[in-house]
Amino acid sequence: MGKALRCVFALTAFLLISLPARAGGEEFVRLEFDGRSLNLPPEAIAQVGVIKDFNNQDTLDVTIAREWIAALADLTQDPQGRLISIFICGALVAEPALQGQISKGRFYVVGDPQVIHKAAVFLQAKSCRAAANS
């Protein structure tokens, strides 16, 4: 992982086991930080994968589409270790401490492998109606 990418997220707590399937037209990804939020529609997710981190843990690797990078960088400026809440399809997936501004549109989330893989299914499908048993 590159230097800028390694310091983006350090997971602190709160991972949920499952993500609910939500009807179309509702939020897809919502990031909440410092009293503000950013809603990302499915087309804002450019690439998603599950990789192994340096501790061999499953890690969600998310890249945001170019046109959303500035909004994400603005939301996460001056992080100083504060928590950011990550919601996918209305479910809280993680609350990691930001280690740096997300200025290049790519971030990682580590945690429970079931949560990481379930989140990847929804993000890759770009839908809250991903297979319920995925």
Side-chain angles (χ1 to χ4, degrees):
M1 292 184 199
K3 179 182 173 186
L5 302 176
R6 280 181 282 174
C7 66
V8 176
F9 280 133
L11 184 64
T12 55
F14 304 116
L15 292 174
L16 299 179
I17 297 299
S18 63
L19 298 171
R22 308 252 339 230
E26 295 191 42
E27 69 183 26
F28 185 56
V29 175
R30 186 175 82 244
L31 305 170
E32 292 182 357
F33 177 70
D34 201 25
R36 298 175 293 142
S37 67
L38 175 64
N39 289 311
L40 299 172
E43 60 271 12
I45 308 302
Q47 187 173 4
V48 177
V50 176
I51 62 172
K52 296 287 187 182
D53 70 4
F54 59 92
N55 289 321
N56 204 34
Q57 286 186 292
D58 287 343
T59 303
L60 185 63
D61 178 2
V62 180
T63 303
I64 303 301
R66 187 176 341 163
E67 52 275 3
W68 288 90
I69 292 174
L72 182 59
D74 183 55
L75 178 74
T76 60
Q77 69 185 63
D78 192 31
Q80 306 296 323
R82 289 181 274 166
L83 298 181
I84 185 167
S85 299
I86 302 171
F87 296 85
I88 299 175
C89 298
L92 178 64
V93 175
E95 285 189 314
L98 281 170
Q99 300 302 306
Q101 180 183 34
I102 305 173
S103 60
K104 300 199 188 236
R106 187 173 184 190
F107 59 91
Y108 300 100
V109 179
V110 298
D112 182 307
Q114 287 182 299
V115 174
I116 296 303
H117 287 275
K118 187 80 164 185
V121 167
F122 283 93
L123 293 175
Q124 288 168 343
K126 296 188 179 198
S127 172
C128 291
R129 294 178 180 237
N133 294 323
S134 299

